[in-house]
Amino acid sequence: MDCKTTSRRLGAYLDGELPHAGAAAVEEHLRQCPRCTAELAELRALSHALNGLEGAAAPSGFAARVKQAALARQEVRRQPVMLYGAPRARAMNRVLMRVAACLVAVAGLWVGMSAGGSAFAGNGQASSDATQAAEQNEFDLQMASLSAAPPGSIAEAYLAFASYDETGGQGQ
Amino acid sequence: MRHREDMAGQDGVTSDEDLMLQAAQGDMDAFEQLVQRHQRAALNIAHRFLGRSAQAEDIAQEAFLKILAGASRYRPTARFRTYLYNVIWHLCVDAYRRRSPVALDALAPLQDAAEGPDELVLRRERAERVRQGVDELPPRQRMALVLKHFEGMSYQDIAEVMDCSPSAVDALLSRARAALRKALQDLL
């Protein structure tokens, strides 16, 4: 076994992960190679240095606190969906309210179209007569307001034209 | 439901896997017993990986809660320890991604009556250098190192925890050690 192969296997050798034959081959090489032996010593020193990484002691009552937290979560899961409750319940409420708003809008539209449709269908002629009468009234009012147009003005010409239009050219 | 006495092995100790099955059926005392058995390892893995004891406590608690939440789906095909460490590993990775640049906790115990102030300072500096070196390792190398060096796990077990092959664990540890030897050359 050469240095390159040995160097690659030193970690596994140190960890006891090499099969018996592999470990024996590494040891055979180490007996005759000071460089690889020094590398193994350095790995052992590194392992020793890592012992300075202290862990964390379990705080007292940790297991009991975890159990309480678990019970609290189970309690939350058992609670029914409530308005302004848990986030999931609030999200569900928002969806339900949107669906309800859509249903109200569709129902309103349907009622409006039904009512409007029957009014057009039943009173079509009456509606048309009423519209014509309103338009005539509006025209008469406009004419009345322009009856005092000064002589020679554009307004007087317009009145003359309107009068001609009404009488069909039979004079004022 | 089988009672705990029925599930105890020949040595009178109920196995982790049996406690887990009891916890799945709602036995919270069995769950608490599981936590007691593994709390130290859970806290240490998270603490050594993240270097922050407060966060380690949150992760350990969350790991146990996640395990209880999924207990009904648990099948004792793998050892409970491997299952727990796998959950911790994933939580540690999440925490690593969200980590903030806060100061790391003091690492080495400073109370030692046999040491003078100089030795204490030197040891503390040395521990901080090692901590920094470990903290600079990529997360997979760091977790492999923590599980091997401090939990004494085999490459096969580490591979199961980290969802990879034993040869990948070997490679991760080789790279971690090479990086640390370079970073801590003057200390070794």
Side-chain angles (χ1 to χ4, degrees), chain B residues 4-15 19 33 37:
Chain B
R4 207 164 303 149
E5 293 75 21
D6 300 335
M7 296 179 118
Q10 288 182 339
D11 53 0
V13 179
T14 309
S15 72
L19 284 175
Q33 205 175 327
R37 279 186 192 179

Side-chain angles (χ1 to χ4, degrees), chain B residues 113-167:
Chain B
E115 285 183 321
D118 290 346
E119 288 85 357
L120 207 64
V121 169
L122 277 174
R123 194 152 68 89
R124 182 176 181 146
E125 281 176 2
R126 189 182 165 90
E128 281 175 358
R129 286 277 311 280
V130 174
R131 172 75 262 176
Q132 281 169 6
V134 172
D135 204 45
E136 281 166 14
L137 292 175
R140 291 179 66 78
Q141 290 181 27
R142 200 189 314 175
M143 184 53 86
L145 191 77
V146 166
L147 295 176
K148 178 69 230 170
H149 188 82
F150 297 101
E151 297 305 314
M153 294 178 81
S154 68
Y155 288 10
Q156 178 64 45
D157 286 349
I158 297 172
E160 284 174 25
V161 169
M162 296 181 67
D163 307 313
C164 62
S165 66
S167 58

Side-chain angles (χ1 to χ4, degrees), chain A residues 56-83:
Chain A
S60 67
F62 178 79
R65 280 203 300 281
V66 174
K67 182 183 172 185
Q68 285 306 314
L71 288 169
R73 280 197 188 180
Q74 286 177 350
E75 190 58 36
V76 167
R77 284 200 196 97
R78 280 195 207 102
Q79 284 178 355
V81 174
M82 291 169 67
L83 199 63

Side-chain angles (χ1 to χ4, degrees), chain B residues 59-98:
Chain B
I59 283 178
Q61 172 165 319
E62 191 56 33
F64 286 116
L65 293 178
K66 269 184 180 291
I67 276 178
L68 182 66
S72 58
R73 295 186 300 274
Y74 174 74
R75 298 288 175 272
T77 49
R79 280 197 299 169
F80 174 79
R81 186 176 78 146
T82 309
Y83 180 48
L84 171 66
Y85 291 4
N86 179 264
V87 174
I88 293 171
W89 157 237
H90 287 290
L91 289 171
C92 280
V93 170
D94 288 344
Y96 174 81
R97 287 180 184 142
R98 294 192 311 266

Side-chain angles (χ1 to χ4, degrees), chain A residues 10 72 88 141:
Chain A
L10 277 180
R88 185 179 292 180
L141 279 171

